[in-house]
Amino acid sequence: MTYLIKKLVIPVAGLGTRFLPATKAQPKEMMPVVDKPIIQYVVEEAVASGITDIIMITGPGKRAVEEHFSPNYELIEKLKRQGKISQAEELKKIADLANFIYVRQRGPYGNGTPVLCARSVIGNEPFAVLWGDEFIYAKPPRLKQCLDVFAKYGDPVISGIRVPKDEVNQYGIARVSHVKDNVFLIDELVEKPDVKSAPSNLATHGCYILTPDIFPKLEQVKPGKDGEIWLVDAIKDLMKERKVYACEIKNGIYYDTGSKFGYIRANIDFALRDKVLGKKVRKYLKSIL
């Protein structure tokens, strides 16, 4: 049976410790890249890929995320009275992007827990997962590319990007068998392998198309590093019973905006792409280099 995936899970319950003290009182997902918070780029990617229902798994201190995607009619009307029509329309579009559902995370830390917390909303259907503090700039969107692979093969899919060989120890790396074009069958997942023993330089993370049989695996998986529940461990268990594919993202630039350098890089790149800011930023960068 072919499913049209409409539901996306975005975990946003993390503490954002890599950005302290900036994230002491604000969610890391709300830190701006130029003039939009990181989480909005993630949501816009999802909507552009056909997603209609977005389930955000939240925790303490994440109220700002909910407020950002909620309508603020008072502010919109004030902007209209001031003649700021384009700004008013832009704010209205944010709340209209999708159906937003918020679930408070319960259970141990780890990126597997928020996925399990979405079970009652997902039900017995396949779904997508994106992290709320990173994204890939790609056309077509990364998520759409992965959804297309799932539509063809019907098994779970993880997005993949090629990383420099001397950086493979920073990522989960896949040993793969080529299927067709940018599609690979994942034979093994190795978390942060040694540079010399890495099975490839294809990092698989960030975007997941999962089937509902992942939930029993998440319930049964034993705590891993730091006593936390990790999604990759549940996927490894699932791989014993069914195929899992990697979709190497075409024409994509990965922004790890949960890291300081990745965040700075994203701001520079998106500022340079901006029609208004681009010339000024380019001129400034030339003046200091």
Side-chain angles (χ1 to χ4, degrees):
M1 178 180 243
T2 301
Y3 287 93
L4 188 62
I5 294 179
K6 292 295 184 181
K7 292 180 181 178
L8 167 72
V9 176
I10 307 180
V12 292
L15 298 176
T17 54
R18 288 191 289 176
F19 268 100
L20 286 171
T23 51
K24 179 178 180 293
Q26 72 165 333
K28 62 179 177 178
E29 298 84 2
M30 288 300 296
M31 293 181 64
V33 173
V34 184
D35 58 356
K36 291 192 295 190
I38 296 166
I39 187 71
Q40 186 173 333
Y41 288 95
V42 179
V43 168
E44 288 175 347
E45 174 187 345
V47 173
S49 302
I51 296 294
T52 59
D53 301 317
I54 296 178
I55 304 120
M56 294 196 187
I57 312 302
T58 70
K62 300 293 182 172
R63 186 61 184 271
V65 175
E66 297 183 32
E67 291 291 342
H68 182 71
F69 292 102
S70 298
N72 187 331
Y73 299 114
E74 182 180 355
L75 177 57
I76 290 172
E77 289 304 316
K78 182 176 181 180
L79 289 171
K80 287 180 178 178
R81 290 194 299 270
Q82 294 175 342
K84 300 176 180 179
I85 306 301
S86 61
Q87 284 183 297
E89 291 176 348
E90 185 67 25
L91 289 185
K92 185 178 184 302
K93 286 180 182 178
I94 294 173
D96 294 339
L97 282 169
N99 301 317
F100 294 98
I101 303 161
Y102 301 96
V103 177
R104 183 59 66 98
Q105 179 169 316
R106 293 183 297 174
Y109 286 112
N111 61 21
T113 299
V115 177
L116 184 57
C117 288
R119 185 176 191 174
S120 62
V121 182
I122 295 298
N124 191 35
E125 59 185 277
F127 63 101
V129 176
L130 292 175
W131 306 132
D133 61 352
E134 63 173 27
F135 59 94
I136 288 180
Y137 179 79
K139 293 182 180 181
R142 162 190 56 173
L143 178 55
K144 180 63 167 61
Q145 294 185 42
C146 291
L147 288 171
D148 288 346
V149 174
F150 178 80
K152 184 172 183 178
Y153 296 97
D155 285 301
V157 181
I158 309 175
S159 66
I161 55 169
R162 296 289 175 178
V163 298
K165 291 185 177 180
D166 60 351
E167 295 181 9
V168 293
N169 58 355
Q170 302 175 31
Y171 302 92
I173 301 295
R175 181 169 63 83
V176 295
S177 300
H178 186 233
V179 177
K180 185 179 180 181
D181 298 328
N182 64 325
V183 181
F184 299 83
L185 179 65
I186 299 178
D187 300 312
E188 182 183 13
L189 291 170
V190 183
E191 188 64 21
K192 298 181 179 179
D194 180 82
V195 173
K196 294 181 179 179
S197 61
S200 73
N201 70 327
L202 185 64
T204 47
H205 65 96
C207 175
Y208 306 80
I209 312 301
L210 299 172
T211 44
D213 47 356
I214 192 66
F215 293 126
K217 302 303 181 186
L218 283 167
E219 287 182 324
Q220 298 164 11
V221 72
K222 295 180 180 179
K225 181 183 176 183
D226 299 325
E228 300 179 359
I229 301 298
W230 296 98
L231 178 60
V232 67
D233 291 336
I235 293 175
K236 287 179 180 179
D237 285 344
L238 190 62
M239 286 171 58
K240 298 174 184 177
E241 302 173 3
R242 68 184 305 168
K243 296 176 180 179
V244 176
Y245 292 92
C247 171
E248 183 176 355
I249 303 305
K250 297 178 180 179
N251 304 315
I253 302 174
Y254 171 57
Y255 293 106
D256 179 10
T257 40
S259 71
K260 292 178 182 178
F261 175 74
Y263 177 73
I264 293 170
R265 180 189 175 208
N267 271 279
I268 293 173
D269 283 6
F270 276 82
L272 289 172
R273 293 188 189 111
D274 187 274
K275 293 180 181 179
V276 177
L277 289 175
K279 291 182 180 179
K280 292 181 179 180
V281 173
R282 189 171 285 104
K283 182 178 179 181
Y284 172 70
L285 290 174
K286 287 180 178 179
S287 73
I288 61 173
L289 294 177

